[in-house]
Amino acid sequence: MKNIILSAIVGFAPVMASAGGHADFAGHGTGVTTDTKTIEATTGTHVQQTSSDVWIYDNPPEGFHEAMMANCNYFSAFAVGMPQPVGGVGTCQAHDPDGDISLWNGAFQIDGTILMTIVAGTGKWAALNGAKFQGKTRQSLGDANVYDFAPVN
């Protein structure tokens, strides 16, 4: 059961994006799972997964870097016997090479993507509060994955 849950989370969740409502912020990322915890109950299982990610922008605007680091936590709920989560949320703490930070929060979507929103930022990221991004896993590699992301507003 744990292998099914891990595969589903790695394939469904880590899809963080970065930045704010501009087509220039589309890109891809990699996530490596650094910790997984489960709580099994009678009718379902809670899973917490932590990952270390690198977000790479295809064409970042002037002043923004091509890549940044993020630490992400995903919380998923699985019904007994179901390989896909019945719901989940994710939060990422990102920082760029200049020391500017951003905080992301999002929810799993029915189509297998995750919709993330920048909820706080400093420096160049402050102007992007409220920007939304949608991401989807391109390749699951067990405890790692590659994903794509794009702005939605």
Side-chain angles (χ1 to χ4, degrees):
M1 177 73 168
K2 285 186 180 181
N3 287 340
I4 291 172
I5 291 170
L6 281 176
S7 296
I9 288 179
V10 169
F12 188 82
V15 189
M16 301 310 92
S18 233
H22 305 293
D24 293 345
F25 283 109
H28 60 281
T30 61
V32 176
T33 301
T34 58
D35 189 37
T36 302
K37 296 176 182 154
T38 61
I39 300 171
E40 295 189 27
T42 305
T43 62
T45 301
H46 283 288
V47 178
Q48 176 184 350
Q49 182 182 33
T50 302
S51 67
S52 180
D53 294 35
V54 175
W55 298 339
I56 304 163
Y57 300 100
D58 294 336
N59 187 24
E62 188 172 331
F64 286 84
H65 293 275
E66 290 182 15
M68 65 189 293
M69 301 286 297
N71 294 312
C72 300
N73 285 286
Y74 302 97
F75 300 89
S76 306
F78 289 83
V80 169
M82 300 300 293
Q84 292 293 324
V86 294
V89 297
T91 300
C92 293
Q93 300 166 301
H95 60 279
D96 69 21
D98 294 331
D100 295 333
I101 62 171
S102 55
L103 181 62
W104 301 70
N105 196 34
F108 297 174
Q109 305 298 299
I110 194 74
D111 64 359
T113 63
I114 188 166
L115 182 63
M116 298 294 287
T117 302
I118 299 175
V119 296
T122 64
K124 64 182 108 17
W125 294 100
L128 299 173
N129 287 344
K132 297 182 185 311
F133 296 81
Q134 192 161 27
K136 183 159 180 83
T137 298
R138 180 191 322 167
Q139 176 85 41
S140 180
L141 306 166
D143 282 341
N145 62 64
V146 177
Y147 49 85
D148 299 303
F149 55 81
V152 295
N153 64 339

